[in-house]
Amino acid sequence: MSEGEDITCVGFFKYADEGENVELKGDFTEHAVYGEQFKVESYEVKEPEDTISIIRYLGSGAIKGIGQALATRIVKEFGADTFRVIEEDPLRLAGIKGISERKAREIAVQVIEKQDLRKVMVFLQQYGISGILANKIYKKYGNDCYRIINENPYLLADDIDGVGFKTADEIASRVGIHMDSDYRIRSAVIYVLTDAAGEGHCYLPKDELTRRSTELLGVTQEAVWIQTQNLAMDRRLYIKIKGDMTVVYAGAFYHMELACARRLKDLDITADEDEGTIRRKIEVLEKSEDIELEEKQREAVVKAVMNGITIITGGPGTGKTTIINMIIRYFELEGLSISLAAPTGRAAKRMTEATGAEASTIQRMLHLSVSDSDDKGFYFASNEDNPIESDVVIIDEMSMVDLPLFNALLKAIPVGVRLIMVGDTNQLPSVGPGAVLKDVIASGCFTVVSLKKIFRQAERSDIVVNAHKINEGQHPVLDNKSRDFFFLERDNVDLILNNIIHLIREKLPKYVGVEPADIQVLTPMRKGSLGVEALNPILQRYLNPDDGSKRECEVRDVIFRECDKVMQIKNNYRLEWEIRSKYGIPIDKGLGIFNGDMGIITEIDNYNETLTVMYDGMRSVVYPFSGLDEIEHAYAVTIHKSQGSEYPAVIIPLLQGPRMLFNRNLLYTGVTRAKDCVMLLGSRERINAMIDNADEQLRYTGLAESIKEMYG
């Protein structure tokens, strides 16, 4: 017994978490430097008996209406006697701020009903599973979870959001499941395909799949391929021959590609309209709107009117917005209803500003809804049975649309509705799986209008001119004689950092006429001395310092402070947002904050453990501290995550990095995010090497072939 003294214990605590009770077994040893220590040979996580463990359970989400802050207040009042008080004398809870007598009774009922859950959570804690995740597992399996953990914990990776193969594999190794178990190999194959989807792939070649799986598992390629074929027999994945190559699809993406191809073919009908009549109507519109279209623009409008599916592509300054505006005016005069949408809130806001017509995110147009019965937790209310009620659908920033979102969109568009897709094929592909815009064009089955000409007003912008040069493989002149495109040659990381801070705080706000918060640092990488992870803490320190006036919180070694720029880093379809008037009256609300959405922290409430972020200057979202793993600082963001956004000024540090990442496509995308000013810092040789590197990261996608097959 320690009799109240601290004892230093050393060992490998793979499955223990902060706040848990553990029983340790081992011997005392003498360390040459640190003195007496208890060397742990084995340990066991014990049932929650102390106050910290009780707080962890009550605040895990298992008991509706109790968060971490309220759990702390309850346990502070009743200590280790908390569960007895709740079960036997619940009205004593009503003496705690925030709990009424009615709520006290409700808490008691839940605690009594969930005694089995408490036991399950204690059982799962020994495998390193958090209270929140344990709650999900119990909700899915009930008391059957004991059998599943002991027989096939890999089911958790299939059934539970938040449990991946690696977590399931750790549990399996602790339970004693053999490394060549069929369950293990099957789960790994599914994991590898899912992981590949995170890289943008819809399938993997057989050799790539077996290589990745073998490296993960430590088994033979033959064993992997046998289980891959068994999974195909169960229709959990699909094996296909593409030319002389065998490829393997996860079932979901295989069906999505086929469904998208079929629906595109169904929508691809020619309107019964005379081209001459359409052109005469356009001429009348040009006069009334005082706009003179260039012939290629006029052709784009004609094609959009005549075809069920039209794709309009082009870089900055090529007149895409003018075409969209003319298409809208044409269909309005015809008495047709039009829906405008884009993949992100920022892109939708820009579309609204450019057209004067209301645009929404694609997710909102599809009426994103929450489902407790659906494992994903969400669904789109607009679908085949409840289609979009519009005659024309126009989607901007199509390069950002991934395969799952495109599939959901096409489900909701009935035959006879025109679909017009607008985008820039030279932008980076979507963050999610697929290369939808490129594949639809590459199929050669649909009407495509490619815009090349830069218009006079755009020619005055070196951002536009140099973006097109970069795209064509030409080196722009970096002599700083431009009004909006600048280059500072620097070969030292510290000097680059000092310059970035000086530019944001002093130079660019005055030059561009904006606030420092409107200036965005874009970088190719997450890692490295000029990557997101290194830049953000430094930029926070100088751009939003701790001056004593702003509240802050620290979560997982990250300090969040009021007025910080932050970004949502994964899709959360269940997050609620709200728009309020300047008088604080709610005027709109909805669901969904998505990967890449950027906002400002407006309030931190340490008492209730909540943090509020304002997205797009309109949508307010309240996060519990437990949900802050979904956001990160956004003083610097990767160029990939900046897609669909436009900033008054961007700063791009380019010094060193991997050739595969530092390519023409990436630089082009970064430069085209700027509206009024681009500032490149770093090596001239690196910039020129990026422009010379036309290689793009390969994506395994099959939508183009599926479309061709559909057309026979």
Side-chain angles (χ1 to χ4, degrees):
M1 296 291 291
S2 66
E3 297 181 352
E5 293 183 11
D6 289 339
I7 296 176
T8 301
C9 302
V10 294
F12 184 51
F13 300 90
K14 189 174 183 181
Y15 299 99
D17 203 357
E18 181 182 352
E20 290 178 333
N21 277 338
V22 289
E23 182 180 282
L24 309 178
K25 294 180 182 179
D27 291 308
F28 283 98
T29 60
E30 191 70 25
H31 191 278
V33 176
Y34 300 110
E36 188 178 61
Q37 297 178 337
F38 186 77
K39 186 176 181 181
V40 178
E41 295 175 356
S42 64
Y43 71 94
E44 182 180 351
V45 179
K46 304 299 288 184
E47 190 163 346
E49 296 170 350
D50 69 350
T51 55
I52 295 176
S53 295
I54 297 170
I55 290 170
R56 286 170 60 84
Y57 170 73
L58 290 176
S60 69
I63 307 300
K64 188 177 179 182
I66 299 183
Q68 199 71 27
L70 186 53
T72 303
R73 296 204 293 274
I74 292 171
V75 178
K76 184 178 180 182
E77 178 71 22
F78 301 115
D81 210 26
T82 294
F83 285 130
R84 188 195 64 77
V85 170
I86 292 174
E87 292 170 4
E88 298 177 8
D89 195 6
L91 291 184
R92 289 176 64 187
L93 292 174
I96 295 171
K97 183 180 178 182
I99 301 180
S100 63
E101 288 189 4
R102 179 181 174 184
K103 186 169 184 176
R105 291 190 183 94
E106 290 173 350
I107 290 170
V109 169
Q110 289 185 75
V111 168
I112 292 168
E113 286 178 346
K114 295 184 178 181
Q115 287 175 338
D116 285 345
L117 170 60
R118 267 162 53 198
K119 293 176 183 177
V120 166
M121 291 179 77
V122 173
F123 169 71
L124 293 174
Q125 279 179 13
Q126 65 185 304
Y127 302 113
I129 296 173
S130 70
I132 293 173
L133 201 51
N135 192 18
K136 287 185 182 179
I137 294 171
Y138 181 77
K139 186 177 179 181
K140 177 70 177 178
Y141 302 122
N143 287 326
D144 206 29
C145 69
Y146 299 101
R147 180 187 62 78
I148 288 167
I149 291 293
N150 287 304
E151 291 181 6
N152 181 16
Y154 295 103
L155 277 176
L156 272 62
D158 294 340
D159 297 340
I160 310 294
D161 183 32
V163 178
F165 169 78
K166 291 182 178 179
T167 300
D169 204 34
E170 286 180 356
I171 296 170
S173 66
R174 192 168 176 84
V175 170
I177 292 175
H178 293 153
M179 67 179 296
D180 60 354
S181 158
D182 291 352
Y183 291 138
R184 181 171 186 256
I185 298 172
R186 286 183 176 211
S187 182
V189 170
I190 296 295
Y191 167 77
V192 167
L193 287 172
T194 302
D195 193 53
E199 301 168 14
H201 303 304
C202 294
Y203 65 81
L204 284 177
K206 172 188 173 182
D207 292 345
E208 179 78 2
L209 174 64
T210 54
R211 180 186 64 77
R212 292 191 187 194
S213 301
T214 299
E215 289 174 359
L216 179 67
L217 292 165
V219 300
T220 66
Q221 290 194 7
E222 182 184 6
V224 169
W225 186 241
I226 288 171
Q227 294 308 323
T228 301
Q229 291 172 305
N230 287 338
L231 285 165
M233 289 176 67
D234 293 341
R235 296 188 179 277
R236 294 194 59 197
L237 50 78
Y238 290 82
I239 299 171
K240 228 184 150 181
I241 305 299
K242 289 183 180 287
D244 58 355
M245 182 170 62
T246 301
V247 307
V248 183
Y249 277 89
F253 296 122
Y254 176 79
H255 289 300
M256 282 182 197
E257 285 190 348
L258 289 179
C260 287
R262 184 178 63 253
R263 292 189 185 100
L264 285 169
K265 187 175 188 296
D266 290 344
L267 291 171
D268 184 28
I269 56 180
T270 303
D272 186 19
E273 303 244 12
D274 175 66
E275 182 174 342
T277 302
I278 295 170
R279 286 185 174 273
R280 285 191 291 274
K281 289 179 180 179
I282 292 171
E283 288 174 11
V284 172
L285 263 176
E286 287 183 61
K287 291 176 182 176
S288 65
E289 299 286 333
D290 195 23
I291 295 173
E292 184 177 350
L293 297 179
E294 187 262 340
E295 177 51 34
K296 200 70 174 176
Q297 292 179 305
R298 199 172 291 115
E299 178 192 338
V301 180
V302 171
K303 299 294 187 187
V305 174
M306 293 185 67
N307 293 284
I309 291 178
T310 307
I311 301 108
I312 300 168
T313 71
T318 56
K320 296 193 297 292
T321 300
T322 300
I323 292 169
I324 292 173
N325 278 321
M326 188 59 75
I327 290 171
I328 292 170
R329 301 294 175 266
Y330 186 99
F331 286 127
E332 283 178 341
L333 286 178
E334 295 294 300
L336 301 182
S337 57
I338 307 160
S339 289
L340 307 179
T344 67
R346 278 178 172 263
K349 187 177 179 183
R350 286 174 54 201
M351 197 178 188
T352 298
E353 292 167 352
T355 63
E358 186 64 32
S360 71
T361 62
I362 297 172
Q363 295 88 344
R364 193 164 198 215
M365 182 177 72
L366 297 179
H367 297 99
L368 176 67
S369 304
V370 170
S371 169
D372 291 329
S373 60
D374 191 323
D375 288 340
K376 293 185 295 184
F378 74 92
Y379 66 96
F380 292 112
S382 293
N383 51 37
E384 305 99 315
D385 301 321
N386 183 31
I388 295 169
E389 294 182 355
S390 292
D391 300 305
V392 182
V393 174
I394 304 176
I395 307 295
D396 199 9
E397 295 287 358
M398 265 301 299
S399 63
M400 297 179 65
V401 176
D402 62 20
L403 183 65
L405 185 58
F406 192 54
N407 182 51
L409 173 67
L410 292 179
K411 280 183 182 179
I413 300 178
V415 174
V417 172
R418 292 175 176 86
L419 173 60
I420 299 160
M421 295 175 275
V422 184
D424 184 350
T425 54
N426 295 305
Q427 299 283 356
L428 290 169
S430 57
V431 174
V436 169
L437 182 61
K438 286 186 177 180
D439 278 358
V440 172
I441 293 171
S443 73
C445 296
F446 308 107
T447 300
V448 179
V449 180
S450 298
L451 306 170
K452 304 291 185 184
K453 180 179 177 180
I454 305 173
F455 287 87
R456 280 196 300 274
Q457 62 270 29
E459 286 179 337
R460 293 194 289 269
S461 166
D462 285 325
I463 295 174
V464 172
V465 172
N466 285 334
H468 283 272
K469 283 185 176 180
I470 290 167
N471 188 44
E472 293 163 5
Q474 301 175 30
H475 297 177
V477 177
L478 302 175
D479 59 6
N480 290 331
K481 293 180 180 179
S482 169
R483 291 176 301 176
D484 60 9
F485 196 98
F486 303 97
F487 169 66
L488 296 179
E489 185 149 20
R490 301 287 186 267
D491 60 3
N492 179 279
V493 170
D494 290 337
L495 188 56
I496 289 175
L497 290 172
N498 289 334
N499 285 166
I500 289 173
I501 292 164
H502 183 64
L503 285 166
I504 295 175
R505 291 170 65 177
E506 304 292 337
K507 293 292 186 181
L508 289 180
K510 297 175 185 175
Y511 186 76
V512 183
V514 296
E515 295 297 318
D518 296 321
I519 298 163
Q520 187 61 51
V521 178
L522 302 179
T523 175
M525 304 174 293
R526 288 197 60 82
K527 306 288 186 181
S529 54
L530 291 174
V532 165
E533 293 175 8
L535 285 171
N536 271 317
I538 296 170
L539 294 175
Q540 183 199 36
R541 190 185 317 147
Y542 286 97
L543 302 179
N544 188 30
D546 179 11
D547 59 8
S549 67
K550 296 179 283 254
R551 286 168 291 190
E552 60 182 44
C553 64
E554 184 172 349
V555 179
R556 286 176 289 277
D557 299 323
V558 176
I559 295 173
F560 292 102
R561 186 174 296 132
E562 289 176 340
C563 300
D564 271 343
K565 288 173 70 172
V566 292
M567 172 183 280
Q568 176 81 10
I569 58 172
K570 66 179 184 179
N571 291 337
N572 187 330
Y573 296 90
R574 299 179 71 92
L575 265 180
E576 297 181 359
W577 54 260
E578 186 177 69
I579 298 176
R580 290 178 174 265
S581 71
K582 63 180 180 180
Y583 304 108
I585 300 170
I587 57 176
D588 197 7
K589 63 180 180 179
L591 292 172
I593 299 294
F594 303 104
N595 191 353
D597 284 354
M598 290 175 62
I600 301 290
I601 296 175
T602 56
E603 183 182 5
I604 293 175
D605 183 343
N606 283 296
Y607 183 75
N608 291 307
E609 296 189 341
T610 61
L611 179 151
T612 303
V613 178
M614 183 75 74
Y615 287 100
D616 306 322
M618 300 181 298
R619 298 178 296 154
S620 183
V621 177
V622 178
Y623 292 84
F625 283 1
S626 60
L628 295 186
D629 59 338
E630 294 192 2
I631 64 172
E632 67 181 20
H633 289 109
Y635 297 99
V637 303
T638 61
I639 292 173
H640 214 138
K641 285 288 182 74
S642 73
Q643 286 185 95
S645 298
E646 184 179 73
Y647 312 97
V650 301
I651 299 171
I652 308 176
L654 298 167
L655 194 56
Q656 54 191 0
R659 185 182 186 279
M660 181 182 293
L661 185 62
F662 277 56
N663 58 27
R664 181 188 302 172
N665 195 215
L666 188 84
L667 182 58
Y668 173 81
T669 301
V671 166
T672 54
R673 298 308 90 207
K675 183 180 179 183
D676 299 314
C677 182
V678 167
M679 180 69 70
L680 304 178
L681 291 88
S683 161
R684 187 185 302 266
E685 288 73 22
R686 172 60 61 187
I687 293 169
N688 289 336
M690 288 182 76
I691 295 168
D692 294 339
N693 179 16
D695 294 340
E696 294 182 30
Q697 207 160 358
L698 177 65
R699 283 199 172 195
Y700 295 117
T701 67
L703 180 58
E705 287 120 327
S706 294
I707 294 170
K708 290 176 185 175
E709 289 172 8
M710 195 63 63
Y711 274 79

